[in-house]
Amino acid sequence: MRYRVVSEALEHDGRASIHFALLVCVMGVYGGQVCPVVESFPLWLWGLHLLVLLCVCRGLRMASSRWVFTRVGLQRQVGVQLVVDLCLFALAGYGIGVHNMVRYGADMESTLRLGTGFLIMGFFIGADLALTQDRLLALRRGGNPLAVAVPLLTVPQKFTLVTVISLFSVMVILYFVISFDLNWLMTVGIDNLAMARRAVLVEIGFIILILAAYTANLIITYAKNLRLFVSEETRTLTDVAQGNLDTRVPVAFNDEFGIIAGYTNRMIEGLKEQNATMELLRDVIINSMATLAETRDNETGAHLRRTQHYVRLLAEELAESHGLDGPLIDLFYKTAPLHDIGKVGVPDAILLKPGPLTEAEFEIMKKHTTYGEEAIARAAEQMGEDAAFLIHAGEIASAHHEKWDGSGYPRGLSGKAIPLSARLMALADVYDALRSERVYKKALSHEEAKMFLMDQGGSHFDPDVVAAFLRCEAAFIRVAERFRDEVETAS
């Protein structure tokens, strides 16, 4: 975007310089066709007059542009600059006409012809530069929309205005040139009529060509603005469809396209607010379900916080190799506390037993994985499409006790058949259990837990997950210290 802004700024400045350079050529020819005094000048003298005049005008325009773009509000900048340009060209045209009257004795009619020619060219040049500035303003604003100014100038009104002014310009300029040529033809002898006829036709053709070229240039410049709007609108809607609600359509065009862009941005704002509400609702649901499980278990709330941070650390380490993006990692993090939600279905006598479980009790305890999966599935069914986030919660709840070699439960899944979210949770849960002190066991140190995990890599745990753990073990230690159990002793 920055490259485009710089390119457009250079284009705008370059276009202004090119316009002024071309104007020296165009008015050099036009002046000689409508003003007898100018026609009597040596070509270099009239060219020098125009060059000096337009260099002064170019400098004044640069100064006025700086003033407009620093002192005038964004909504009015382009319109004010166009008015300034028209005044500048009118002042230049009528000024040089008065100069010719005072110094060389030109008549009033010639002064009016010169001034009107400059004013007409000023409209075409000013309108082109205004459209270019419109485009530059849209690029500069980027994701910061500009409100559409009032009153609105509609697209049909713009085309009508350009068409009327173009036709009026052709008629006025042709009238000036033809009236001057008719006076000239009256002084031409019969022997030179053929040559005079060719000269008049060439002059008329030249005038029509110049005005047609400037009109076409305005249409092309406006088309570029429309192409920019369509491309930005398409880009923005594509970003929104892909889940990016921070994008916006630049609004700098004071017409129907500006209104469309404005409503598009309002729609995105509404979607963003709705999405924020849904995310809040999602978090409330997850936290409520996790809290419910916590009230039935002898695990602490700190266990839930630690394990969800462990899951995030592992996911971030595997993001590049396993194609995990930010939103998915965030879902893993937020749904991790639901891994033991199924324990609400386990009898208290087993769930809260202070010592080791019997084989029969352990079989009942293992059912918490399927209980959790079924509970989350029912919740997802009730919520419909809005419960997509519960997919990972269900995977974690059902499969976090599966083992890489297939010896886990409840389904005996192995390898990559185990969902990645559950593989992450498996290591996080075991690491936290090893590091936590309970009435029936003492806590292991980080190094002891680390050795256990390394020993179980490839059998209990995914080797890639163990490798990720080793890369971020310092962060694991910091999480364990930050969310320490109140009853936990230093290792």
Side-chain angles (χ1 to χ4, degrees), residues 148 152 155 229-230 233-234 236-237 249-251 253 255-268:
V148 179
L152 183 72
V155 173
F229 164 76
V230 172
E233 183 83 13
T234 302
T236 300
L237 293 177
V249 185
V251 184
F253 309 124
D255 52 28
E256 292 91 336
F257 297 105
I259 291 179
I260 293 172
Y263 277 116
T264 300
N265 291 333
R266 288 174 59 183
M267 176 195 71
I268 297 172

Side-chain angles (χ1 to χ4, degrees), residues 186-381:
M186 293 175 63
T187 65
V188 174
I190 295 178
D191 295 338
N192 296 321
L193 281 178
M195 178 274 293
R197 176 177 175 274
R198 284 194 299 273
V200 171
L201 290 177
V202 169
E203 291 172 4
I204 294 174
F206 173 78
I207 295 299
I208 293 175
L209 178 63
I210 292 297
L211 293 176
Y214 274 95
T215 301
N217 177 63
L218 279 186
I219 295 173
I220 293 171
T221 303
Y222 191 67
K224 289 176 67 175
N225 286 8
L226 296 188
R227 185 166 64 248
L228 171 65
F229 164 76
V230 172
S231 65
E232 288 295 323
E233 183 83 13
T234 302
R235 175 196 59 78
T236 300
L237 293 177
T238 301
D239 287 347
V240 171
Q242 294 174 350
N244 178 14
L245 297 181
D246 293 322
T247 186
R248 295 293 182 274
V249 185
V251 184
F253 309 124
N254 189 26
D255 52 28
E256 292 91 336
F257 297 105
I259 291 179
I260 293 172
Y263 277 116
T264 300
N265 291 333
R266 288 174 59 183
M267 176 195 71
I268 297 172
E269 286 291 343
L271 288 175
K272 189 173 183 178
E273 291 176 3
Q274 184 180 24
N275 192 57
T277 301
M278 291 301 300
E279 287 185 359
L280 179 61
L281 177 62
R282 179 191 68 187
D283 294 346
V284 168
I285 291 172
I286 292 174
N287 290 333
S288 298
M289 296 175 73
T291 301
L292 176 64
E294 185 182 340
T295 59
R296 294 285 329 282
D297 197 0
N298 56 15
E299 297 284 6
T300 66
H303 163 73
L304 299 180
R305 291 191 291 275
R306 287 193 299 267
T307 51
Q308 72 175 162
H309 279 85
Y310 295 151
V311 167
R312 168 176 273 174
L313 290 171
L314 294 171
E316 289 174 344
E317 283 294 328
L318 295 172
E320 185 174 353
S321 60
H322 287 65
L324 305 179
D325 58 19
L328 183 56
I329 293 174
D330 193 52
L331 276 179
F332 286 177
Y333 169 79
K334 289 184 175 180
T335 55
L338 297 180
H339 65 282
D340 279 337
I341 184 67
K343 286 183 177 180
V344 298
V346 178
D348 286 347
I350 297 174
L351 185 65
L352 303 179
K353 185 176 181 179
L357 300 178
T358 65
E359 184 175 343
E361 290 172 336
F362 186 60
E363 288 300 317
I364 296 174
M365 175 64 81
K366 289 197 297 186
K367 291 182 180 180
H368 82 273
T369 55
T370 53
Y371 292 159
E373 180 183 22
E374 291 169 359
I376 292 173
R378 284 195 296 271
E381 184 179 354

Side-chain angles (χ1 to χ4, degrees), residues 458-469:
S459 56
H460 188 157
F461 306 113
D462 179 350
D464 289 343
V465 177
V466 175
F469 162 75

Side-chain angles (χ1 to χ4, degrees), residues 101-167:
M101 286 178 61
V102 173
R103 184 162 183 178
Y104 301 108
D107 57 28
M108 178 62 73
E109 185 177 354
S110 297
T111 299
L112 292 175
R113 289 171 176 174
L114 270 179
T116 303
F118 267 93
L119 183 59
I120 289 173
M121 294 304 297
F123 166 78
F124 286 109
I125 294 172
D128 178 69
L129 294 177
L131 290 173
T132 303
Q133 179 62 25
D134 250 346
R135 187 165 65 254
L136 178 59
L137 183 59
L139 290 173
R140 279 178 174 166
R141 294 294 293 173
N144 301 307
L146 176 68
V148 179
V150 178
L152 183 72
L153 190 61
T154 65
V155 173
Q157 288 174 338
K158 288 182 178 180
F159 277 109
T160 301
L161 182 63
V162 171
T163 302
V164 170
I165 292 179
S166 299
L167 292 175

